[in-house]
Amino acid sequence: MGALHFSLVKLSRGFFVCLWLWGMLSLSCAAARYGASRQKFEVKKHLNRLNKPAVKSIQSPDGDIIDCVPISKQPAFDHPFLKDHKIQMRPSYHPEGIFDDSKVSAKPKGKETHIPQLWHRYGKCSEGTIPMRRTKEDDVLRASSVKRYGKKKRRTVPLPKSAEPDLINQNGHQHAIAYVEGDKYYGAKATLNVWEPKIQHTNEFSLSQIWLLGGSFGQDLNSIEAGWQVSPDLYGDNNTRLFTYWTSDAYQATGCYNLLCSGFIQINSDIAMGASISPVSGYRNSQYDISILIWKDPKEGHWWMQFGNGYVLGYWPSFLFSYLTESASMIEWGGEVVNSQSDGHHTWTQMGSGHFPEEGFSKASYFRNIQVVDGSNNLKAPKGLGTFTEKSNCYDVQTGSNDDWGHYFYYGGPVLSM
């Protein structure tokens, strides 16, 4: 009887242990279901904020959907400071100077120039609308969180003079740039050739861009950026895409890529930010380049962007910034990659063409006709152009100047096994 009682006690205890485990497992499963449900709700809510009602939609051959959204319904006007903003349909002033072949217009007059974006093969957006690349659920789910979707990681700007290489390398961002500093800059321009660099890991990217910077390289850095990039994490593929970026607090909370938050006001109906650029340059083959101009309107104070031969895309309102409300204190041009490897290993992600600058034209990547905008709103050659790279054996830069290309540089780096 005693043995039987002992066995029953053991069985009873075992039953309650099993019941407790089952209960905890049920709670865990319920929490997981709630978490998944909550995430799905947050993603859907975010998609509804980003994807505005469209007049029509265009299916791009690369899988993108381009929505033609009424200009007054774009994400910029979700910003509380822009609720009653009157859209400025053209800049009050346009920089003039050397290599300036542009006109002040959202669309060039006369002969239509080729705009190298894939979606144009299947349609265009009408006047009064802007083309927006539709954000998909998978795009948001690839981000570390809904809140961080469309944002860069901190410390992605090269620090030429006061570089902190250990800090930069820990973050994995590496650069090959030319830069100017020590003056007040009211804009920058360059023509850069477009490539399709190979990316080793989906959480890495490769880009080529212009940076306009204000403030220190601490918590208060202001930055306006534009160029081309390959970013599987952001776009879900390896296509080369036109992009812009801005931040007023060193990439912490403000700003984003393209139109993925309120801020940049687009006025152009032809160019979709974040859309694929085609064709791209080939090694020892045809070279394709794009021109980018960013300048400060001396009357209204907004920072305007122009793409190609006179296509004015839109502007960043001056109130978005603190230091850039007046001028930029540094301009940078060049390439950036992310090295996600650790323990002394290095990614084989390419910068630019994936070849060193000494290989020259049709092999290496270039920026040509580099200019800055001065206080009189004139485009001028940069004075005291410096160069910077954290790892010259991986990614390097070489400057030069001549009558055809003005100030220029070649940059980039090859696939390496380290």
Side-chain angles (χ1 to χ4, degrees):
M1 189 70 180
L4 180 60
H5 175 73
F6 180 71
S7 297
L8 287 171
V9 169
K10 282 181 68 179
L11 283 170
S12 178
R13 284 178 179 170
F15 171 75
F16 282 114
V17 168
C18 289
L19 189 63
W20 179 80
L21 289 171
W22 178 82
M24 295 307 295
L25 184 61
S26 297
L27 285 171
S28 177
C29 290
R33 283 197 301 271
Y34 173 78
S37 176
R38 179 70 182 172
Q39 184 191 37
K40 193 170 183 178
F41 172 76
E42 290 295 330
V43 168
K44 187 175 180 181
K45 192 166 74 168
H46 198 59
L47 289 174
N48 288 336
R49 278 197 298 264
L50 293 177
N51 297 322
K52 304 300 185 182
V55 173
K56 73 171 182 177
S57 298
I58 299 165
Q59 182 73 53
S60 177
D62 60 359
D64 282 356
I65 298 172
I66 303 298
D67 291 323
C68 301
V69 174
I71 191 169
S72 61
K73 303 297 183 183
Q74 62 182 292
F77 299 107
D78 292 340
H79 198 292
F81 288 3
L82 290 171
K83 291 296 183 185
D84 300 315
H85 179 79
K86 184 178 179 182
I87 301 172
Q88 193 176 344
M89 293 306 296
R90 55 183 286 162
S92 302
Y93 295 91
H94 192 277
E96 296 181 356
I98 54 173
F99 302 111
D100 183 29
D101 54 1
S102 53
K103 304 294 181 185
V104 185
S105 174
K107 183 175 288 189
K109 297 175 182 177
K111 188 177 179 182
E112 185 88 3
T113 55
H114 173 62
I115 311 167
Q117 288 196 312
L118 280 174
W119 66 275
H120 294 128
R121 297 178 189 176
Y122 291 92
K124 61 181 182 178
C125 292
S126 59
E127 291 291 332
T129 68
I130 64 161
M132 289 185 59
R133 177 183 182 270
R134 186 182 299 177
T135 302
K136 300 172 183 175
E137 184 177 345
D138 287 346
D139 294 332
V140 182
L141 290 174
R142 282 192 303 273
S144 58
S145 70
V146 172
K147 192 175 181 181
R148 292 303 303 172
Y149 171 65
K151 295 183 180 293
K152 281 189 176 187
K153 292 180 181 177
R154 294 181 60 191
R155 291 199 175 272
T156 64
V157 174
L159 315 177
K161 287 267 172 107
S162 56
E164 303 170 64
D166 293 338
L167 202 54
I168 295 169
N169 290 337
Q170 283 175 13
N171 199 41
H173 291 259
Q174 294 176 358
H175 309 82
I177 65 160
Y179 69 96
V180 290
E181 63 178 341
D183 204 346
K184 290 184 177 182
Y185 307 102
Y186 297 85
K189 186 179 182 183
T191 298
L192 54 158
N193 60 344
V194 181
W195 295 85
E196 191 176 87
K198 301 292 182 287
I199 311 296
Q200 183 175 2
H201 300 288
T202 56
N203 64 335
E204 297 178 342
F205 65 66
S206 180
L207 59 75
S208 296
Q209 69 172 54
I210 300 173
W211 288 263
L212 287 89
L213 303 169
S216 69
F217 285 89
Q219 308 295 316
D220 59 355
L221 180 72
N222 288 200
S223 183
I224 292 175
E225 308 167 22
W228 60 260
Q229 68 180 162
V230 177
S231 178
D233 210 30
L234 183 59
Y235 301 105
D237 58 29
N238 292 289
N239 292 347
T240 303
R241 296 171 177 273
L242 175 71
F243 82 94
T244 64
Y245 200 93
W246 71 273
T247 181
S248 61
D249 62 356
Y251 309 97
Q252 294 178 90
T254 63
C256 60
Y257 281 109
N258 308 321
L259 300 177
L260 296 177
C261 65
S262 56
F264 185 85
I265 299 173
Q266 183 160 337
I267 62 168
N268 188 283
S269 61
D270 291 309
I271 309 295
M273 291 195 293
S276 299
I277 299 172
S278 180
V280 297
S281 303
Y283 186 75
R284 291 183 175 174
N285 212 321
S286 299
Q287 300 298 293
Y288 297 93
D289 55 29
I290 59 174
S291 292
I292 291 174
L293 167 64
I294 300 170
W295 80 100
K296 189 174 183 60
D297 185 328
K299 182 180 179 182
E300 301 293 337
H302 306 318
W303 288 92
W304 285 82
M305 177 181 170
Q306 177 178 295
F307 173 76
N309 184 25
Y311 287 85
V312 178
L313 293 195
Y315 56 96
W316 291 270
S318 58
F319 77 81
L320 294 174
F321 306 101
S322 51
Y323 291 97
L324 286 176
T325 50
E326 183 185 348
S327 62
S329 56
M330 179 181 285
I331 308 290
E332 299 176 346
W333 302 262
E336 176 183 347
V337 299
V338 171
N339 172 34
S340 63
Q341 305 282 15
S342 57
D343 301 324
H345 298 287
H346 200 280
T347 181
W348 49 253
T349 287
Q350 298 174 316
M351 179 187 292
S353 67
H355 291 265
F356 275 133
E358 53 263 31
E359 292 193 44
F361 186 74
S362 84
K363 301 175 186 125
S365 309
Y366 63 75
F367 276 68
R368 62 182 175 89
N369 303 139
I370 298 168
Q371 299 164 82
V372 296
V373 179
D374 67 10
S376 301
N377 203 35
N378 292 317
L379 282 158
K380 291 190 172 180
K383 290 182 180 178
L385 192 66
T387 61
F388 172 77
T389 179
E390 293 96 346
K391 240 180 164 48
S392 59
N393 61 322
C394 296
Y395 311 107
D396 206 3
V397 55
Q398 291 183 359
T399 59
S401 64
N402 60 36
D403 291 339
D404 292 329
W405 278 20
H407 283 70
Y408 69 87
F409 64 88
Y410 288 102
Y411 70 101
V415 173
L416 293 174
S417 55
M418 298 186 68

